[in-house]
Each structure stands twice: as C-alpha cells, then as structure tokens.
Amino acid sequence: MDFRSFTTLALDGITAEPKTGCRIVLFDEIDSTNNYAKKLLAENIADQDELADVFGQPVVIVANSQTSGRGRLGREFSSPADSGIYLSIVLNTKLESASLPLLTMATSVATRRAIESVCNISPSIKWVNDLYLKDKKICGILLETANSFYASDNSAFVVIGIGINCFPGSFPEELREIAGSISDTPNSFSRSELAAKVIDEVVSEVYNLDPASMLNEYREHCFILGRNVTVTDFANENGSPRNFLARAVGISDNGALIVESMDGSQRISLFSGGVSVNLD
C-alpha cells in the first residue's frame, strides 16, 4: 500500500497543521477512511518494528469525499465532496480494555468541543455517538477495534472514524429530513482548520482519558436525557429487533444509557453497539 504521509492538511485551499504530532494521509476520494486505516494496520501488525515506525505517532486518514462511508450498525454515512470532513485516526491507546467502550463517547465530547471552538456553535450529543444541531445530525462517529490490532505489549490500536457535515451537500433523499450541517453558508469557515482542531482534541482526550470528567461533560451536552425516546433493541434472544417507548433518565459510569419504562416500573441499561435510540 502506498503510504505517503504529510504533517499538514488542506481541504479547502487553506493549510492547517494539527498541534498534535501525527502523520496525515490525504485523499480527494476514497471508499472509506476507516477501511484504509484498517488495511494499513493489517499490513504492518505482524512486523513489530514496522508497526512502531508507522504508528509511533497517530496516523490520520483524511478524504474530501467517501464513496462507501459507514456508520454504526452497518448504516451508510453519506459523504459528499467539498462539504464535509471525513477522517479516521489510528491510535495506540495503551488503555485497559475496560476503558475502550468509553472511547466513542470521549470522541463525541472532543469533537463537539472542537466544533464549538472553531465554529462558535454548541452542538448537542445524541447517545451514543452522534452530534446534532437544530434537531438534525451533523456528525457521526465509528470506532473499531479488533483482536488482530493488538501490539506485542497488549496495547490496543483503535480506528476512530469521524464524519462531519460542514456545509449543505448532496444527500440522498431519505436523509434530507434528518441530516443537517454546521453552517448553511458554504466556506463560512475552514474545513482544514476544523479538521486540525478535531484531531488535536480527540488525540488529547483519548491519551489523557479521565472517565469521570469526560462523562460529566458528555451528560451536560446529551440532549436526550429527560426526554421520551423510541428504543430499537437488537439484543433479543431470537435476534429480531424490538421497539419500545421509554424515558432516558441517565448515563451510567460505564457509558450505558439508562431508560425507564413509561409506567416507571422498570429501568434498563442499554449499551453501545446493541441498540439505536431515536427521538419519538
């Protein structure tokens, strides 16, 4: 695999350099930045010397558009050209395995913080991994790990995929009612500068993860808490999904969404990867 890396990125004619030392791989178009990142890991995982050379610092795959962007639960993430940020960050986390499920939430917190800093807006978080603005989704996050991505010291490599809708784009008809963008005015801010800030915030948050502090910030900006929701649960014994109404009442210390039945008789903890939650 051709691996030409840079220290700066330019998505819109403006060059920006993350303060975090990292290697950046740029594409105008790619099937999926996460797919490329996983292929890069797979090619180097057997050679520890090569692994240390390639991934001794964060590696970031950035694309102007994706033809097969993916979200959670196998959903498509629409990635039109010239209107968004599509990137994947490969990190050697060196975290205990118990902390890994919190990294999606940490990425949501860090990305929200970056958008607020650069764009002067305050998005909200929809459990577990989406950012919303004006009741529309502007960002999705997909974190992937695999047993084959472990180094000789048992530290885990993770691939963190982030897709941000910056400006109005050409979305499929079925997404137009739910997909939004940070700004309605094209080029009202630099995608390069926002991407650099996202990289800095995510890498810092993951490498310095303080679960208690992160979860407090997550809860503060999670807009479904206290709201009635429709839960789609895929954890049934027969594997078929079930839908039920509930009220979102909290986020546990291990990142589960706590929902209460509408009659108040039962509380259920929902974990990432097994459920999707949609506002009623």
Side-chain angles (χ1 to χ4, degrees):
M1 180 179 296
D2 183 20
F3 183 67
R4 295 180 59 225
S5 64
F6 307 87
T7 59
T8 61
L9 53 88
L11 291 170
D12 45 20
I14 297 174
T15 299
E17 182 173 359
K19 296 178 181 178
T20 300
C22 61
R23 302 175 69 173
I24 299 171
V25 186
L26 295 169
F27 292 93
D28 182 56
E29 181 180 274
I30 196 173
D31 60 345
S32 161
T33 58
N34 263 36
N35 285 351
Y36 183 93
K38 290 190 296 181
K39 289 177 183 177
L40 195 60
L41 269 173
E43 286 189 353
N44 293 280
I45 202 71
D47 186 332
Q48 292 297 312
D49 290 336
E50 186 71 14
L51 191 70
D53 178 60
V54 174
F55 298 103
Q57 57 185 330
V59 174
V60 186
I61 319 301
V62 184
N64 186 48
S65 67
Q66 297 182 120
T67 58
S68 301
R70 294 180 294 112
R72 287 181 66 244
L73 305 177
R75 299 189 181 108
E76 177 185 358
F77 186 90
S78 182
S79 313
D82 303 321
S83 61
I85 294 170
Y86 319 111
L87 62 83
S88 296
I89 306 174
V90 184
L91 297 174
N92 188 343
T93 63
K94 300 188 184 300
L95 293 173
E96 297 292 332
S97 59
S99 298
L100 293 179
L102 297 178
L103 292 189
T104 297
M105 305 179 84
T107 302
S108 300
V109 166
T111 304
R112 196 212 70 83
R113 196 186 299 143
I115 292 172
E116 184 174 58
S117 174
V118 173
C119 305
N120 198 30
I121 61 166
S122 185
S124 299
I125 300 171
K126 175 178 172 285
W127 186 88
V128 60
N129 66 330
D130 295 332
L131 298 185
Y132 270 61
L133 184 68
K134 298 177 182 178
D135 296 325
K136 289 193 173 184
K137 179 178 175 178
I138 63 168
C139 174
I141 292 163
L142 176 65
L143 186 142
E144 297 185 275
T145 62
N147 290 337
S148 60
F149 294 168
Y150 281 76
S152 59
D153 60 357
N154 293 320
S155 57
F157 285 93
V158 295
V159 177
I160 302 174
I162 303 169
I164 304 173
N165 302 332
C166 295
F167 311 118
S170 179
F171 295 112
E173 184 174 351
E174 64 270 19
L175 297 180
R176 290 172 188 168
E177 293 300 315
I178 59 174
S181 58
I182 292 175
S183 173
D184 293 330
T185 305
N187 302 316
S188 56
F189 61 88
S190 168
R191 288 186 294 143
S192 297
E193 292 178 357
L194 178 55
K197 186 65 172 177
V198 168
I199 293 166
D200 286 339
E201 291 286 351
V202 170
V203 172
S204 177
E205 186 68 32
V206 171
Y207 280 173
N208 303 287
L209 183 63
D210 179 343
S213 176
M214 182 276 293
L215 284 167
N216 284 340
E217 187 172 350
Y218 187 97
R219 294 179 182 114
E220 177 184 353
H221 296 287
C222 185
F223 74 97
I224 70 170
L225 294 182
R227 304 277 293 271
N228 292 339
V229 296
T230 299
V231 178
T232 303
D233 184 3
F234 294 92
N236 283 342
E237 291 183 1
N238 61 8
S240 62
R242 61 169 179 158
N243 296 321
F244 61 92
L245 296 177
R247 187 170 183 83
V249 296
I251 303 287
S252 71
D253 288 345
N254 61 359
L257 177 68
I258 304 170
V259 298
E260 186 176 78
S261 60
M262 298 305 292
D263 62 5
S265 63
Q266 185 180 17
R267 286 196 172 190
I268 303 172
S269 294
L270 306 171
F271 293 89
S272 62
V275 299
S276 62
V277 182
N278 303 298
L279 291 179
D280 186 13

